[in-house]
Amino acid sequence: MKVILKADIKGVGKKDQIINASDGYARNYLFPKNLAVEANNENMAKLKAKQDSNAYRKSQEKEEAKKVADKLSKILLKIEVRTGENGKIFGGVSSKEIAESLKEKYDIVVDKKKIELKETIKEIGERKIEIKLYEGVVGSLKIDVIPKQEQIGKP
């Protein structure tokens, strides 16, 4: 009997997968526990509509990610940091600070976990980093870490 799984079942299949199950297994286990439905025309049509909807949503999200990647490639993000007398940075610039600066200065929201930094930036200067925006879409961003201009007369 062909059934459509409604949940992931270890050793059987993944959610929304069509499998061949024995009649007894389907009627006595899968159907009563609401883990599967029979793969009739109505349920197959619902599954197809759901898959089409998911595919459309994913394509829209990918297009949005490409637009953001294009915006990021044109940006030079300047981040001011406190430095010591010899030009060393106190602390460092983390992916969290980069994400906050992007939101604050350019109104671009990026998850800090998607920013590819091997370690925090601890040197002044310009560098290029990559941001994984979506599956298969990677944006590059130029960052310029500059020393903070201390105002004269203020402690």
Side-chain angles (χ1 to χ4, degrees), residues 97-138:
E97 291 173 275
I98 294 169
E100 287 172 355
S101 289
L102 272 174
K103 180 162 175 41
E104 182 183 308
K105 295 177 182 171
Y106 297 98
D107 201 31
I108 297 174
V109 179
V110 175
D111 186 7
K112 68 180 182 181
K113 295 175 192 140
K114 299 197 181 226
I115 297 174
E116 300 246 320
L117 274 183
K118 289 173 181 64
E119 55 187 44
T120 58
I121 300 170
K122 296 182 179 177
E123 297 164 3
I124 289 177
E126 206 172 289
R127 63 192 36 82
K128 207 172 203 177
I129 61 165
E130 290 188 342
I131 302 174
K132 288 185 177 178
L133 296 167
Y134 196 76
E135 212 173 290
V137 180
V138 178

Side-chain angles (χ1 to χ4, degrees), residues 2-151:
K2 283 193 176 215
V3 295
I4 302 170
L5 297 177
K6 292 172 96 176
D8 291 349
I9 303 172
K10 191 173 182 175
V12 177
K14 301 265 184 205
K15 182 179 179 180
D16 292 334
Q17 187 178 357
I18 301 167
I19 62 162
N20 277 322
S22 67
D23 290 353
Y25 182 61
R27 286 197 189 100
N28 296 325
Y29 182 75
L30 296 175
F31 296 159
K33 293 195 181 254
N34 206 20
L35 296 173
V37 292
E38 189 177 348
N40 58 22
N41 287 339
E42 180 184 348
N43 290 333
M44 292 293 282
K46 285 180 186 175
L47 177 65
K48 174 131 177 56
K50 184 177 176 184
Q51 289 172 339
D52 290 346
S53 161
N54 285 344
Y56 177 75
R57 182 179 45 78
K58 281 187 176 185
S59 71
Q60 291 297 98
E61 288 173 357
K62 192 168 188 171
E63 286 302 313
E64 284 297 314
K66 284 180 181 176
K67 287 178 186 173
V68 171
D70 190 43
K71 279 184 191 175
L72 287 176
S73 67
K74 296 174 184 166
I75 291 176
L76 174 61
L77 183 66
K78 292 185 186 238
I79 298 178
E80 288 187 341
V81 292
R82 288 187 43 199
T83 57
E85 292 172 16
N86 57 357
K88 278 201 154 203
I89 293 178
F90 293 127
V93 179
S94 66
S95 57
K96 180 181 177 188
E97 291 173 275
I98 294 169
E100 287 172 355
S101 289
L102 272 174
K103 180 162 175 41
E104 182 183 308
K105 295 177 182 171
Y106 297 98
D107 201 31
I108 297 174
V109 179
V110 175
D111 186 7
K112 68 180 182 181
K113 295 175 192 140
K114 299 197 181 226
I115 297 174
E116 300 246 320
L117 274 183
K118 289 173 181 64
E119 55 187 44
T120 58
I121 300 170
K122 296 182 179 177
E123 297 164 3
I124 289 177
E126 206 172 289
R127 63 192 36 82
K128 207 172 203 177
I129 61 165
E130 290 188 342
I131 302 174
K132 288 185 177 178
L133 296 167
Y134 196 76
E135 212 173 290
V137 180
V138 178
S140 63
L141 173 69
K142 278 187 180 176
I143 295 180
D144 191 11
V145 180
I146 54 176
K148 195 176 265 186
Q149 301 297 321
E150 300 295 326
Q151 292 181 354

